[in-house]
Amino acid sequence: MNMQRSASGKRPMAAHVKRSLSTAARALGTRDPLPYLDTLIDRTFSLPEDDVSYTRNALTPGAVPYEPSFSEAEPDTLRFTIEPLGPDASPVARRDEATREMRRLVCPVFGRDALRWFDSRSEEWRGFGGLGWMSYGAWFGSAFDEDGLYATKIYYELLPTQIDALAPPLARLTRQAMNEMPSLMPIFTSIGCNREAGSQRVTFLHRGPLAVSALGPLMNRLGIGHQLPSLMRIVGVALGGRFELPPGGVLIGMRNKPEGVEMKLEILLAAIPDLPGRFLDLLKLGLAERPRQLAALARWLEAFGMEANEQGHFSVLSIRVTPHSPARISLYVRPIEFEMREHIEEARALQ
């Protein structure tokens, strides 16, 4: 089947992903990611550019599994996440591929100590236990700055029964969050390394609707309750006054940092039934007091060809707080050339 597709004369999707990354790297002034990830991209996006089977993925359902993101905390980096290997790969194969890529990059770039740390944190998820329950396996993320690879990250699926395998402080934090809000269900853990340190986060799905103010008791318990007003301000401005988020539209991430707990509220924008048509303009209003970050966001959007009228291609608004840092945003996008809406419509017309 793949050979027939290749014989169709269509370029592989890898060519488009590589072009997108190289163009963005030039615009942002970062190193080109391709010397680090060229072969992984080839293996992941080997099917033709119009193959609608790409849309069957857990990272960006309905689009190619390639998700760039802007981080206010790291405004000058080129960050993106992919679901490794093609749409027909097994969850185990994806998990193993992402793990190999982490280990291949971490040791030469960040050192042997970083690799040992990663191996100790990931042992539970790269072993042989519980393989049958996985849905997608793993995702792989990376970030680049002017000096090259700045960070790399893997996202492993997580069962509630695996909480004990987390580092003790993170396991305690996970249970604390679930006890305070029983509506939280852990769904994945992300393990990342960069030049300075490593970190691990647990991300929960919030079951049912969420009034953002209902995070107050949990945030108070975690020592970050005083940051709730800044978080609510970003949500209210960006969503046009909406403070209740629908079922299936909320993820909440937790990790321990030296200064205390970091909480990350992730709003899945496709789940918002009435996302304002001026979402991007409203979000920029929330950054108006931080002109450097606002300028960085504008530069980043231009690097990926995102126009102000393409709100439908923003996938996730992420807002994080720590005891000493008020709300800071990240924005995840689906560039229009990877949406595949036209190809899906063409495939339906041929049926």
Short mmCIF file of all heavy atoms in Angstrom, two decimals, residues 20-26 28 30-34 66 68-69 74-80 142-146 148-151 300 303-304:
data_model
loop_
_atom_site.label_atom_id
_atom_site.label_comp_id
_atom_site.label_asym_id
_atom_site.label_seq_id
_atom_site.Cartn_x
_atom_site.Cartn_y
_atom_site.Cartn_z
N SER A 20 8.73 23.72 6.64
CA SER A 20 8.14 24.54 7.70
C SER A 20 9.15 24.82 8.80
O SER A 20 9.29 25.97 9.25
CB SER A 20 6.92 23.82 8.28
OG SER A 20 6.42 24.49 9.42
N LEU A 21 9.89 23.80 9.22
CA LEU A 21 10.85 23.97 10.31
C LEU A 21 12.03 24.83 9.89
O LEU A 21 12.46 25.71 10.65
CB LEU A 21 11.33 22.60 10.79
CG LEU A 21 10.31 21.76 11.56
CD1 LEU A 21 10.83 20.35 11.78
CD2 LEU A 21 9.96 22.42 12.89
N SER A 22 12.56 24.59 8.72
CA SER A 22 13.71 25.38 8.27
C SER A 22 13.34 26.84 8.08
O SER A 22 14.11 27.74 8.43
CB SER A 22 14.28 24.79 6.97
OG SER A 22 14.83 23.50 7.19
N THR A 23 12.15 27.09 7.52
CA THR A 23 11.69 28.47 7.34
C THR A 23 11.52 29.16 8.68
O THR A 23 11.94 30.31 8.87
CB THR A 23 10.37 28.48 6.56
OG1 THR A 23 10.56 27.88 5.28
CG2 THR A 23 9.86 29.90 6.38
N ALA A 24 10.90 28.45 9.64
CA ALA A 24 10.69 29.04 10.96
C ALA A 24 12.02 29.29 11.66
O ALA A 24 12.19 30.32 12.33
CB ALA A 24 9.80 28.13 11.80
N ALA A 25 12.96 28.37 11.52
CA ALA A 25 14.27 28.55 12.16
C ALA A 25 14.97 29.81 11.65
O ALA A 25 15.55 30.58 12.42
CB ALA A 25 15.14 27.32 11.94
N ARG A 26 14.90 30.04 10.34
CA ARG A 26 15.53 31.25 9.78
C ARG A 26 14.84 32.50 10.31
O ARG A 26 15.49 33.49 10.66
CB ARG A 26 15.47 31.19 8.26
CG ARG A 26 16.43 30.19 7.62
CD ARG A 26 16.55 30.41 6.12
NE ARG A 26 15.28 30.20 5.44
CZ ARG A 26 14.87 29.03 4.96
NH1 ARG A 26 15.64 27.96 5.11
NH2 ARG A 26 13.71 28.92 4.34
N LEU A 28 13.19 32.91 13.10
CA LEU A 28 13.36 33.09 14.54
C LEU A 28 14.82 33.23 14.95
O LEU A 28 15.10 33.54 16.12
CB LEU A 28 12.72 31.91 15.29
CG LEU A 28 11.21 31.77 15.13
CD1 LEU A 28 10.73 30.48 15.79
CD2 LEU A 28 10.48 32.98 15.73
N THR A 30 17.06 30.73 15.05
CA THR A 30 17.52 29.53 15.77
C THR A 30 18.28 28.61 14.82
O THR A 30 18.25 28.79 13.60
CB THR A 30 16.34 28.75 16.38
OG1 THR A 30 15.61 28.09 15.33
CG2 THR A 30 15.42 29.67 17.15
N ARG A 31 18.94 27.63 15.39
CA ARG A 31 19.55 26.60 14.57
C ARG A 31 18.47 25.79 13.86
O ARG A 31 17.37 25.61 14.40
CB ARG A 31 20.39 25.65 15.45
CG ARG A 31 21.66 26.26 15.98
CD ARG A 31 22.76 26.29 14.91
NE ARG A 31 24.01 26.75 15.48
CZ ARG A 31 24.92 25.95 16.03
NH1 ARG A 31 24.70 24.64 16.09
NH2 ARG A 31 26.04 26.44 16.53
N ASP A 32 18.80 25.28 12.71
CA ASP A 32 17.88 24.42 11.97
C ASP A 32 17.77 23.07 12.69
O ASP A 32 18.78 22.44 12.99
CB ASP A 32 18.41 24.22 10.55
CG ASP A 32 17.37 23.60 9.63
OD1 ASP A 32 16.57 22.76 10.08
OD2 ASP A 32 17.38 23.93 8.43
N PRO A 33 16.54 22.59 12.98
CA PRO A 33 16.40 21.30 13.66
C PRO A 33 16.78 20.10 12.81
O PRO A 33 16.99 19.00 13.36
CB PRO A 33 14.90 21.24 14.00
CG PRO A 33 14.40 22.64 13.87
CD PRO A 33 15.26 23.28 12.82
N LEU A 34 16.86 20.26 11.49
CA LEU A 34 17.00 19.10 10.63
C LEU A 34 18.28 18.30 10.86
O LEU A 34 18.24 17.06 10.81
CB LEU A 34 16.87 19.51 9.15
CG LEU A 34 15.51 20.10 8.77
CD1 LEU A 34 15.44 20.31 7.27
CD2 LEU A 34 14.37 19.22 9.25
N TYR A 66 1.87 17.18 13.82
CA TYR A 66 3.02 18.10 13.92
C TYR A 66 2.49 19.38 14.53
O TYR A 66 1.64 20.05 13.93
CB TYR A 66 3.61 18.32 12.53
CG TYR A 66 4.45 19.56 12.35
CD1 TYR A 66 5.63 19.74 13.08
CD2 TYR A 66 4.10 20.52 11.40
CE1 TYR A 66 6.40 20.88 12.88
CE2 TYR A 66 4.87 21.65 11.19
CZ TYR A 66 6.02 21.83 11.94
OH TYR A 66 6.80 22.95 11.75
N PRO A 68 3.66 22.87 16.32
CA PRO A 68 4.55 23.90 16.85
C PRO A 68 3.88 24.64 18.01
O PRO A 68 2.65 24.71 18.10
CB PRO A 68 4.77 24.84 15.66
CG PRO A 68 4.28 24.09 14.47
CD PRO A 68 3.22 23.18 14.96
N SER A 69 4.70 25.21 18.89
CA SER A 69 4.13 25.97 20.01
C SER A 69 5.02 27.15 20.37
O SER A 69 6.24 27.08 20.25
CB SER A 69 3.94 25.07 21.24
OG SER A 69 5.17 24.55 21.69
N GLU A 74 9.87 31.05 27.00
CA GLU A 74 11.01 30.83 26.11
C GLU A 74 10.66 31.41 24.74
O GLU A 74 10.50 30.69 23.76
CB GLU A 74 11.31 29.33 26.00
CG GLU A 74 11.66 28.68 27.34
CD GLU A 74 11.70 27.16 27.27
OE1 GLU A 74 11.29 26.59 26.22
OE2 GLU A 74 12.11 26.54 28.25
N PRO A 75 10.54 32.73 24.64
CA PRO A 75 9.96 33.35 23.45
C PRO A 75 10.81 33.25 22.19
O PRO A 75 10.28 33.42 21.10
CB PRO A 75 9.78 34.81 23.88
CG PRO A 75 10.82 35.02 24.94
CD PRO A 75 10.90 33.73 25.67
N ASP A 76 12.08 32.97 22.34
CA ASP A 76 12.95 32.96 21.16
C ASP A 76 13.36 31.55 20.74
O ASP A 76 14.37 31.37 20.05
CB ASP A 76 14.20 33.80 21.44
CG ASP A 76 13.86 35.25 21.74
OD1 ASP A 76 13.01 35.81 21.02
OD2 ASP A 76 14.42 35.82 22.70
N THR A 77 12.60 30.56 21.16
CA THR A 77 12.92 29.18 20.79
C THR A 77 11.93 28.67 19.75
O THR A 77 10.80 29.15 19.63
CB THR A 77 12.90 28.25 22.01
OG1 THR A 77 11.58 28.24 22.57
CG2 THR A 77 13.90 28.68 23.06
N LEU A 78 12.39 27.68 18.99
CA LEU A 78 11.56 26.96 18.03
C LEU A 78 11.18 25.63 18.67
O LEU A 78 12.03 24.77 18.86
CB LEU A 78 12.34 26.74 16.73
CG LEU A 78 11.75 25.78 15.70
CD1 LEU A 78 10.35 26.21 15.29
CD2 LEU A 78 12.66 25.68 14.49
N ARG A 79 9.92 25.49 19.04
CA ARG A 79 9.44 24.32 19.77
C ARG A 79 8.39 23.60 18.92
O ARG A 79 7.54 24.24 18.31
CB ARG A 79 8.79 24.72 21.11
CG ARG A 79 9.70 25.43 22.06
CD ARG A 79 8.96 26.15 23.18
NE ARG A 79 7.59 25.77 23.41
CZ ARG A 79 7.11 25.32 24.58
NH1 ARG A 79 7.92 25.16 25.60
NH2 ARG A 79 5.84 25.04 24.72
N PHE A 80 8.43 22.28 18.94
CA PHE A 80 7.37 21.52 18.26
C PHE A 80 7.33 20.10 18.80
O PHE A 80 8.29 19.58 19.37
CB PHE A 80 7.60 21.50 16.74
CG PHE A 80 8.86 20.82 16.30
CD1 PHE A 80 8.86 19.50 15.87
CD2 PHE A 80 10.07 21.51 16.30
CE1 PHE A 80 10.03 18.87 15.46
CE2 PHE A 80 11.24 20.89 15.89
CZ PHE A 80 11.22 19.57 15.47
N SER A 142 10.68 18.79 21.05
CA SER A 142 12.03 19.36 21.09
C SER A 142 11.95 20.87 20.94
O SER A 142 10.96 21.41 20.45
CB SER A 142 12.91 18.76 19.98
OG SER A 142 12.31 18.91 18.71
N ALA A 143 13.02 21.53 21.38
CA ALA A 143 13.10 22.99 21.28
C ALA A 143 14.51 23.39 20.89
O ALA A 143 15.49 22.77 21.35
CB ALA A 143 12.72 23.64 22.62
N PHE A 144 14.63 24.42 20.06
CA PHE A 144 15.92 24.85 19.53
C PHE A 144 16.07 26.36 19.71
O PHE A 144 15.12 27.12 19.57
CB PHE A 144 16.03 24.50 18.04
CG PHE A 144 15.97 23.02 17.79
CD1 PHE A 144 14.76 22.35 17.73
CD2 PHE A 144 17.14 22.28 17.64
CE1 PHE A 144 14.70 20.98 17.52
CE2 PHE A 144 17.09 20.91 17.44
CZ PHE A 144 15.87 20.27 17.38
N ASP A 145 17.30 26.78 20.03
CA ASP A 145 17.61 28.20 20.09
C ASP A 145 18.82 28.46 19.19
O ASP A 145 19.20 27.62 18.37
CB ASP A 145 17.84 28.67 21.53
CG ASP A 145 19.01 27.97 22.21
OD1 ASP A 145 19.84 27.32 21.52
OD2 ASP A 145 19.12 28.08 23.45
N GLU A 146 19.44 29.62 19.34
CA GLU A 146 20.53 29.99 18.44
C GLU A 146 21.76 29.10 18.59
O GLU A 146 22.61 29.05 17.70
CB GLU A 146 20.92 31.44 18.68
CG GLU A 146 21.41 31.72 20.09
CD GLU A 146 21.70 33.18 20.34
OE1 GLU A 146 21.47 34.00 19.42
OE2 GLU A 146 22.18 33.52 21.44
N GLY A 148 21.50 25.71 19.14
CA GLY A 148 21.19 24.34 18.77
C GLY A 148 20.07 23.76 19.61
O GLY A 148 19.13 24.46 19.99
N LEU A 149 20.17 22.46 19.89
CA LEU A 149 19.13 21.79 20.66
C LEU A 149 19.12 22.33 22.09
O LEU A 149 20.10 22.19 22.82
CB LEU A 149 19.36 20.28 20.67
CG LEU A 149 18.31 19.45 21.43
CD1 LEU A 149 16.96 19.51 20.73
CD2 LEU A 149 18.77 17.99 21.55
N TYR A 150 18.00 22.93 22.49
CA TYR A 150 17.88 23.49 23.83
C TYR A 150 17.21 22.51 24.79
O TYR A 150 17.57 22.42 25.96
CB TYR A 150 17.08 24.78 23.78
CG TYR A 150 16.68 25.30 25.14
CD1 TYR A 150 17.62 25.89 25.98
CD2 TYR A 150 15.37 25.18 25.61
CE1 TYR A 150 17.28 26.35 27.24
CE2 TYR A 150 15.01 25.63 26.87
CZ TYR A 150 15.97 26.21 27.68
OH TYR A 150 15.63 26.65 28.92
N ALA A 151 16.21 21.77 24.29
CA ALA A 151 15.48 20.85 25.16
C ALA A 151 14.85 19.75 24.33
O ALA A 151 14.57 19.93 23.14
CB ALA A 151 14.39 21.60 25.94
N TRP A 300 6.82 35.01 16.03
CA TRP A 300 6.65 33.56 15.95
C TRP A 300 5.50 33.20 15.02
O TRP A 300 5.61 32.29 14.18
CB TRP A 300 6.40 33.02 17.35
CG TRP A 300 6.35 31.53 17.43
CD1 TRP A 300 7.39 30.67 17.65
CD2 TRP A 300 5.19 30.71 17.27
NE1 TRP A 300 6.94 29.37 17.64
CE2 TRP A 300 5.59 29.37 17.41
CE3 TRP A 300 3.84 30.99 17.04
CZ2 TRP A 300 4.70 28.31 17.32
CZ3 TRP A 300 2.95 29.93 16.93
CH2 TRP A 300 3.39 28.61 17.07
N ALA A 303 6.56 33.54 11.55
CA ALA A 303 7.49 32.48 11.14
C ALA A 303 6.76 31.24 10.66
O ALA A 303 7.27 30.50 9.80
CB ALA A 303 8.41 32.13 12.31
N PHE A 304 5.56 30.99 11.20
CA PHE A 304 4.78 29.82 10.79
C PHE A 304 3.63 30.17 9.85
O PHE A 304 2.75 29.35 9.61
CB PHE A 304 4.25 29.08 12.03
CG PHE A 304 5.29 28.26 12.72
CD1 PHE A 304 5.96 28.75 13.83
CD2 PHE A 304 5.64 27.01 12.24
CE1 PHE A 304 6.94 28.00 14.46
CE2 PHE A 304 6.62 26.25 12.86
CZ PHE A 304 7.27 26.74 13.97
#
